[in-house]
Amino acid sequence: MKKTVTTSVEETKKLARDIASEFKGGEVVALVGDLGAGKTTFTQGITEYFKIREHVSSPTFALINEYKITKTQNQKTKKALKKIIHIDCYRLDSPEELVEIGIEDYFRRDDVAILIEWAEKVKCILPKQTLWIRFEHNENEKENERIVSINA
Ligand SMILES: Nc1ncnc2c1ncn2[C@@H]1O[C@H](COP(=O)(O)OP(=O)(O)OP(=O)(O)O)[C@@H](O)[C@H]1O
Ligand SMILES: [Mg+2]
C-alpha cells in the first residue's frame, strides 16, 4: 500500500495524472471516501491527462458518464484505451443495478478505463485486479489536505 498526502486540488490531480500515464486500457479503479473527499477531483486529473475537455462532475444522477479520448491523443499514446468511464454508486441500492446496465461487459474491455466512486457499495461485483484508492481528510483537519492510500 502506498500513502500520499496531497495539500491541494492540483496535487490530487497531479497524482491522478501520474497514475493515468500508466493506463493501457482495461483498468478498474475503485474510489472510496466520504462526501468531498476528492474522488471526483482525482477523476478530473485522469481525464486531464487524456486531454478530455468536457467538465467532469460526480455522475450521481446519471450513474454513468463516458468520456471519449480524442483521436489525436489516442494516436500519441498508441494505446488500446479510447474511453474513460465514470460511475458514481452513491445513490445505488444494490450492485445488481450495475449488473443490469451491463457493467460486466465493460470489465472485459481493453479500450476503456473505469473509475467508480463509492465503489465499496459494489465491491462484490468488481474484478480481482481492481485498483483501490481511498481518500481521507487528514486528522489535523487542515482543510486542503487529503490522505490518499493506493491499494487500501
Ligand atoms: N487536497 C485536495 N484534494 C482534493 N480535493 C480537495 C483537496 N483540498 C481541498 N479539496 C476540496 O475538496 C472537495 C473535493 O470534492 P470532490 O467532488 O472531489 O469529492 P468527492 O469525493 O467526489 O465527493 P462526492 O462523494 O460528494 O462525489 C473540493 O471542493 C475540493 O476543492
Ligand atoms: Mg464525487
Side-chain angles (χ1 to χ4, degrees):
M1 188 183 78
K2 188 175 165 256
K3 257 190 187 182
T4 311
V5 177
T6 67
T7 60
S8 65
V9 164
E10 184 46 36
E11 267 185 46
T12 297
K13 287 185 181 173
K14 164 80 169 68
L15 177 68
R17 291 198 299 269
D18 289 347
I19 291 173
S21 71
E22 309 270 317
F23 281 7
K24 293 176 174 66
E27 287 76 16
V28 180
V29 183
L31 306 172
V32 180
D34 289 340
L35 291 168
K39 304 178 295 295
T40 300
T41 304
F42 182 91
T43 306
Q44 288 166 346
I46 299 280
T47 57
E48 266 175 33
Y49 177 81
F50 292 106
K51 309 271 187 255
I52 290 163
R53 293 233 175 97
E54 284 136 281
H55 176 69
V56 173
S57 56
S58 295
T60 308
F61 293 99
L63 183 60
I64 179 162
N65 282 341
E66 289 196 14
Y67 300 100
K68 253 198 187 143
I69 297 168
T70 62
K71 256 195 188 149
T72 359
Q73 196 54 25
N74 205 244
Q75 279 158 357
K76 259 190 213 161
T77 57
K78 296 197 178 66
K79 290 175 185 173
L81 183 57
K82 291 192 173 56
K83 268 184 197 172
I84 302 297
I85 310 288
H86 186 199
I87 298 175
D88 189 339
C89 300
Y90 185 65
R91 283 177 198 278
L92 213 66
D93 291 319
S94 85
E96 277 66 46
E97 287 176 45
L98 270 192
V99 175
E100 275 162 25
I101 63 162
I103 192 69
E104 286 161 325
D105 294 333
Y106 282 107
F107 294 155
R108 284 187 278 271
R109 284 169 59 168
D110 67 356
D111 62 336
V112 302
I114 310 171
L115 290 113
I116 308 173
E117 297 194 32
W118 297 95
E120 67 274 28
K121 294 182 74 178
V122 297
K123 191 174 179 195
C124 61
I125 62 161
L126 298 183
K128 258 202 220 120
Q129 77 275 14
T130 299
L131 177 68
W132 287 84
I133 306 184
R134 180 179 298 274
F135 300 83
E136 290 163 297
H137 285 81
N138 212 343
E139 265 174 19
N140 63 20
E141 291 181 1
K142 281 193 186 155
E143 212 185 294
N144 296 325
E145 283 194 11
R146 299 289 187 276
I147 305 164
V148 185
S149 309
I150 300 176
N151 251 334

